[in-house]
Amino acid sequence: MWREALDKNMKILVVDDFSTMRRIVRNLLVELGFSNPLIQEADDGENAIAMLRAQPFDLVVTDWNMPNMTGIDLLKAIRAEASLKGLPVLMVTAENNRDQIIAAAQAGVNGYIVKPFTAVTLKEKLTKIFERIAAGGVAA
Amino acid sequence: MDTEFDLELRQDFLVEAGELLQRLGEQLVALETSPRDSELLNAVFRAFHTVKGGAGFLALEPMVVLCHHAEDLLNEARNGKLALDAAHMDGLLQALDLLNDMMAAVSDGSAMAMPPPALLQALTPHAAAPAPVAAPQPAAASAEAGAIDDNEFEALLDTLYGTAAPGTVAPAPLPAAPPAGIDDDEFEALLDSLHGKPGQPAAPSPSPAPATTAPSTNAAPARPAAAADHSVRVDTARLDLLVNHAGELVLLRNRLLSLAARLGDESLATAAGELDRVTDALQGAAMSMRMQPVGRLFQRFPRIVRDLARQLGKEVELVLEGEGTDLDRSLVEALADPLIHLLRNALDHGVEMPDERERNGKPRKGRIVLSASQRGERIVIAVSDDGHGMDPDILRRKAVEKGLLDSAQAARLSEAECYELIFRPGFSTAAAVSDISGRGVGMDVVKTRVAELGGTLRVQSRLGHGSELELTVPLTLAVLRVLMVRVADRLLALPLGNVQEVFELADGQDRELDGRLVAEHRGRALPLTDLARWVGTAAGAGRHVVVLHIGHQRLGCLVHEVRGREDVIVKPLGPLFADASGIAGATVTGDGRLALVIDLAGLVAAADTCSASLQKEV
């Protein structure tokens, strides 16, 4: 039987230097049924990694282009840290740029989404990410 | 999204993107002087990029298109494929102007047009080539060169990770460059090849990629988790409300203090003293929240100076100093126009043309310094230039030509007094009114405006070396230092910053001159205004004179009693009295009485009618 792939009680970290954008993403997540109090925000990669180390999260939604530490560097830092490396990361980009996305995939991104997007698109992307996680496990 | 959220979002966007755009103006001007500064290029790129992202969600297509073009251009520059030239900079600055217009349209809900093709052309990296006509993109994103769609992405993930989740296994090497265009399936496939196929057991043992063996070596040192949350954004209306309440408390405290003093009750006096301290602290804290660094005001000026300099064919460097100086929020806005005028003036009349400067042994590039500093309870903002300065003799001649003075009066003026002539109405040192400084606003208007803010404006000049205009304003507009006077049974508060002196009229010192009541004072005729008549009481004129300095004018006010200095919180009168000219507001004095705070500009206007009516009745 099909079951809802998305756990609505996930703790999500939204990373973007533009607070309007964090608010947009948060609101779309809430619209999808995620719990508002469980969504936290960071304004750049450095702060994000500090928060990720301090408390457990189930998902990171990060912008690509940020000062101090970019989204891709944040992704690499997550994958490089034993306690965080399995954390699903959805990358928000402004451009659908093939080379960038391939680079992100190689760095270990779980999904990407191009701005602007709707709640429906966001749901599709998240569903794909967690389907893969549920189905996959780890290759030998 | 519901509309309420949309509205809030729009508001957020306006504030946040507005700040970005304001900084962008300064950054672009800086970029023009150092076009290879990669940090600056990144910051400018990111600003356009971020605004585009937000605009996309708000479906502000013209904004998205414009930002996108600017971003493309900057990206080429960032990647070293293009050196930004003056035409590019003009294009970027125009784009910024248009973006600001668009923001205004967002704010008032009006429609915005698509950016003009000429501007988009100017932002095209290879401006010589005709810009491709924007053909509608085919629905499939994969048809767009260099794009990727969901299926390709999934295929990509399959390729990289099998069907495992990224992060759980090391990515497999990618096959040769995939064809341009990728879809979700491809991405999934890519993930599969990187992470393995689904269905395999989720073994916790990771096959470590090189990077995973050294956790966090390149990561930033851990910071407290809430590092980003040290500030909150508060609506200014709520801040004003807080300041207002704190002000009410101050008034109440004043009453209680004078009550305690009158009753002589010691325990009441102690409690009132405690309240005094706490109130002071609260008021200080409330005031400090209204403070903003003057840099917020300054940051728009480099752009203005740059544009003006180009327009005039001059070369000028604007140096900003003391941007961290804090100033009351309301003053930041109120000072914008006067400062723009002073800067225009320095550029137009002060700094010489590059050739002339060279002939005089100066660097071709002129220098204007805009500085701010705090001196006690006042903020001093100075605009100085290294231009040709002012010639007192030319000023004297001009004043005579304009009929402001006769030649004998002009000859008597000291050098300093000559410079002050520029603040007279109808005085302009430019032979012809240029469209730069002479926009129907003279230095006299600037001086009057500054006076209304409780400030002063002074000028210094050295022929051949430049001029300096120094503007001094009180730290805050919320607390006003006043001279409390009594007219009949009413209390009036006069802004102390404008009070020059107080004296008592001797018998025969006042007389009528051309239908105006004047007093012979310090060898000059001081025009007098009877405040008793002005407030409409039947009492005769007082014999105490308060001499006020308002802009370039001096005015003596006749009052019955001068009570002394006081710090007051000015309360607006409310809409019912919106037409009461000459009154800035009201305040409650220490003994609980109501005092009207006089608006000096309104008083000057009223002064003439008071004197005129005087003549009719005498």
Side-chain angles (χ1 to χ4, degrees), chain B residues 48 52 60-72 91-92 94-100 102 113-116 119-120 123:
Chain B
F48 279 110
K52 184 181 83 167
L60 305 169
E61 193 55 23
M63 227 163 180
V64 173
V65 170
L66 185 55
C67 288
H68 188 79
H69 276 78
E71 210 184 24
D72 277 353
L92 287 170
Q94 276 171 36
L96 175 61
D97 287 343
L98 189 53
L99 280 175
N100 278 318
M102 288 174 173
M114 287 303 273
L119 176 54
L120 297 183
L123 293 171

Side-chain angles (χ1 to χ4, degrees), chain A residues 16-25 27-28 31 41-44 46-47 49-51 53-55 63 65-69 76-77 79-82 85-88 93-99 101-102 104-112 115-118 121 124-125 128-129 132-133 135-140, chain B residues 5 8-9 12-13 16-17 20 45-46 49-50 52-54 56-57 68 71 146-150 152-154 156-158 160-169 171 174 178-182 184 186-188 190-192 194-196 198-203 206 211-212 214-216 219-220 222-223 225 227-228:
Chain A
D16 199 306
D17 57 320
F18 198 51
S19 78
T20 308
M21 194 59 64
R22 295 198 297 271
R23 185 168 182 157
I24 289 169
V25 173
N27 213 69
L28 291 172
E31 202 177 316
E41 300 178 10
D43 65 356
D44 71 6
E46 282 183 19
N47 287 322
I49 201 85
M51 288 174 76
R53 281 179 189 141
Q55 47 186 314
D63 187 33
N65 206 313
M66 293 181 291
N68 299 332
M69 186 193 248
K76 286 174 182 166
R79 295 290 176 249
E81 196 151 327
K85 65 191 292 284
L87 189 60
T93 74
E95 255 78 43
N96 185 341
N97 180 305
R98 171 180 198 87
D99 293 342
I101 289 162
I102 290 174
Q106 280 179 306
V109 84
N110 298 70
Y112 72 97
K115 288 186 272 193
F117 49 85
T118 62
T121 315
E124 277 170 18
K125 298 282 184 179
K128 280 209 169 89
I129 288 175
R132 179 176 286 272
I133 288 172
V138 178
Chain B
F5 173 69
E8 274 180 39
L9 193 62
D12 270 14
F13 177 73
E16 206 179 3
L20 276 177
F45 171 84
R46 211 166 33 239
H49 179 86
T50 304
K52 184 181 83 167
F57 275 97
H68 188 79
E71 210 184 24
I148 189 165
D149 75 18
D150 281 6
E152 287 173 299
F153 181 72
E154 291 298 319
L156 175 64
L157 289 189
D158 284 345
L160 286 166
Y161 303 100
T163 45
T168 54
V169 294
L174 270 188
I182 186 168
D184 269 16
E186 201 183 327
F187 182 74
E188 287 295 322
L190 181 57
L191 284 190
D192 283 346
L194 283 168
H195 299 290
Q200 285 170 310
T212 59
S216 79
R223 280 204 246 153

